[in-house]
Amino acid sequence: MRTSFAVATATAVISWLGASAALAESAADRAVEAAKKYSGTTITVLYEAGLQPLDPKNFSGPMWEKLTGIKVNVVEAPIDQIFTKTMLAHKAGTGAYDILNVIPNQMPDLAFSGALEPLDAYVDKYGYRKELETIAPVFRDNWMKVEGKIYGLPDDGDALILYYRKDVFDNADNKAAFKAKYGYDLAPPKTWKQFYEITQFITEKFGPTMYGAGMLRQPGNAQYMFQERFRVEGGKFFDPETMKATVNSPIGVKVFEAMRAENKLMPPGVEQWGFIEAFNAFLSGQIAMTISWPPVGRWAAGYGKGTEALSWIPETKVVDKVGYALPPGGHPELAVGFSLSVSADSKNKEAAYLFMQWLNSEDISVQRVQLPYTLRDPFRANHYSSAEYRGRWKDAPAYLDTLKLAGETGMLDLSLIQTDRYEEALRQAISRLWAGEDAKKILDDLAAQWDQLTDRIGRDKQKRAYLDWSKKPNAYPAP
């Protein structure tokens, strides 16, 4: 049976109204009561195009209008255009958007440009500061503030975790053969050396029917895997004193060469695999390990099957066979993600903030992260512990426990002024790596490009942004 958005929304409203009566002092309740004075207003939110807008369009938006009389207008944009649209609207001063979905590593650039409204006064006025403390530490401590001021509410627990085939890893014959060859137990890899050896073992035994792993290698995705692994191995992006790029260190060369070597153990053409290709390969049983975003864990278990918005997903052949773990090194990349911000140019700032507080609250967000189709992933203590969520499928408790660990140890995407230009240079470097060029030469060129960018932006200005980012708890692994 396909899920009806209308029925789901009505049910959620009734459920929330009941909870509201019992929790008269909740942050969600305070937001609703305060927002009623803006009844008749329309607020516009900018969302990534695709599945995510189905939440405000079909679930939370209709609920909010029913509760407060405030209508929610959703504008969609591809993820690589969100920053540009936000900046263009700010420079034009049109007030086109009231609420912005902000990719956290672009938040400093937007805040320094004056595009984002500081939120501390609203947070205190509506008593939300205490509830913000229940957001997982890695998101709370890193995705909310720029130079100590709150500019966004972390709203999406993105993390690249490891998925593996339990039936392959737990098989007695496989375990015995692996231990005989490598001298340690077959288990989810703790190091990248183990990852290579396990991938090699499975590919040699089962390939080409099943390969040991298949990864996010399309440069737009692979750049996140490089960022994570480079730091896990001890690399630093810049010298903090001079802001000279150090990505071309021996550690960078080692990681680049290792990534290319691993590709030879994965399915042909893996160099161009993005989310969809790796996801489809894992669901079909073609690969025994992959590292990807949280929806893979839910959808591989069949969660959301029958939902109209997910009708494009192929039939999963790995139900009840999927294990979850942190990737080698134990520090998953918190790739992309979203925070909610109020536009500094909004003409409805308080109404916009109140909708954000309600969306982001414990009461409402725990419902939103369980929507199977909207890509909003668990990010609060009550999401990980929710009895309802933990009962969604057989292995949901292990899935949520792994995401909780990721919410403690994950690492931030590099964040600078004009950070996308640095990322684009890295993406081009990865394309050259897959083409077979010398790893050291590629990284020397990348470092030179980054230095030129830094000079053009202003070394002192960029140093200010880098030091603010690099001092956050999860910029680099703890010593």
Side-chain angles (χ1 to χ4, degrees), residues 238-255:
F238 296 94
D239 182 314
E241 297 299 324
T242 65
M243 273 307 290
K244 185 174 176 58
T246 52
V247 70
N248 56 337
S249 66
I251 294 172
V253 176
K254 173 187 170 186
V255 171

Side-chain angles (χ1 to χ4, degrees), residues 157-448:
D158 267 349
L160 299 179
I161 65 171
L162 175 76
Y163 302 97
Y164 66 96
R165 286 281 298 275
K166 289 191 298 183
D167 55 324
V168 175
F169 279 68
D170 293 343
N171 178 277
D173 291 340
N174 292 341
K175 291 175 82 70
F178 181 86
K179 189 159 189 176
K181 183 171 183 178
Y182 295 102
Y184 60 95
D185 291 333
L186 179 61
K190 299 288 188 185
T191 67
W192 284 104
K193 179 176 182 292
Q194 291 180 358
F195 174 84
Y196 183 89
E197 292 172 346
I198 293 168
T199 301
Q200 181 182 51
F201 170 79
I202 295 173
T203 296
E204 288 179 351
K205 183 171 183 179
F206 296 102
T209 302
M210 180 172 64
Y211 291 82
M215 307 295 275
L216 300 169
R217 289 300 204 229
Q218 188 273 335
N221 293 158
Q223 61 138 334
Y224 298 117
M225 305 207 66
F226 172 77
Q227 287 195 35
E228 170 191 329
R229 189 163 170 178
F230 174 65
R231 286 175 285 174
V232 165
E233 300 282 1
K236 303 284 187 182
F237 293 120
F238 296 94
D239 182 314
E241 297 299 324
T242 65
M243 273 307 290
K244 185 174 176 58
T246 52
V247 70
N248 56 337
S249 66
I251 294 172
V253 176
K254 173 187 170 186
V255 171
F256 250 27
E257 290 178 339
M259 289 174 68
R260 184 159 57 193
E262 290 160 4
N263 288 356
K264 296 178 181 176
L265 301 173
M266 299 181 192
V270 72
E271 292 84 358
Q272 295 307 317
W273 277 21
F275 174 82
I276 294 297
E277 290 81 5
F279 172 64
N280 287 345
F282 191 68
L283 260 64
S284 70
Q286 185 187 12
I287 54 177
M289 290 187 290
T290 194
I291 293 175
S292 194
W293 283 277
V296 170
R298 301 192 288 271
W299 295 343
Y303 183 56
K305 182 179 180 181
T307 303
E308 185 175 2
L310 299 181
S311 60
W312 56 275
I313 293 178
E315 190 76 18
T316 175
K317 297 181 179 178
V318 295
V319 173
D320 296 337
K321 297 178 180 178
V322 180
Y324 320 100
L326 297 184
H331 296 281
E333 184 80 3
L334 308 175
V336 193
F338 286 102
S339 292
L340 299 170
S341 297
V342 174
S343 167
D345 305 298
S346 167
K347 297 177 177 60
N348 306 293
K349 291 177 183 174
E350 186 152 280
Y353 170 78
L354 290 167
F355 179 50
M356 279 174 27
Q357 175 169 313
W358 178 80
L359 274 180
N360 190 250
S361 68
E362 290 181 336
D363 298 344
I364 303 305
S365 64
V366 73
Q367 298 177 45
R368 295 172 55 229
V369 296
Q370 291 181 69
L371 297 173
Y373 51 79
T374 58
L375 309 183
R376 249 18 183 202
D377 303 311
F379 61 90
R380 276 188 181 277
N382 71 320
H383 301 171
Y384 306 127
S385 64
S386 164
E388 183 180 34
Y389 203 157
R390 294 176 78 85
R392 291 290 187 180
W393 70 93
K394 178 183 173 184
D395 293 320
Y399 168 78
L400 290 167
D401 289 345
T402 303
L403 291 182
K404 182 174 183 291
L405 285 174
E408 297 167 358
T409 66
M411 283 192 298
L412 312 175
D413 296 341
L414 176 62
S415 180
L416 300 165
I417 297 170
Q418 298 185 24
T419 198
D420 187 59
R421 295 181 184 274
Y422 291 79
E423 291 180 345
E424 176 55 26
L426 176 55
R427 290 192 285 268
Q428 292 175 5
I430 291 171
S431 292
R432 292 174 60 189
L433 180 70
W434 297 161
E437 294 188 43
D438 178 72
K440 181 67 167 66
K441 175 69 168 60
I442 298 170
L443 288 169
D444 284 345
D445 291 347
L446 174 63

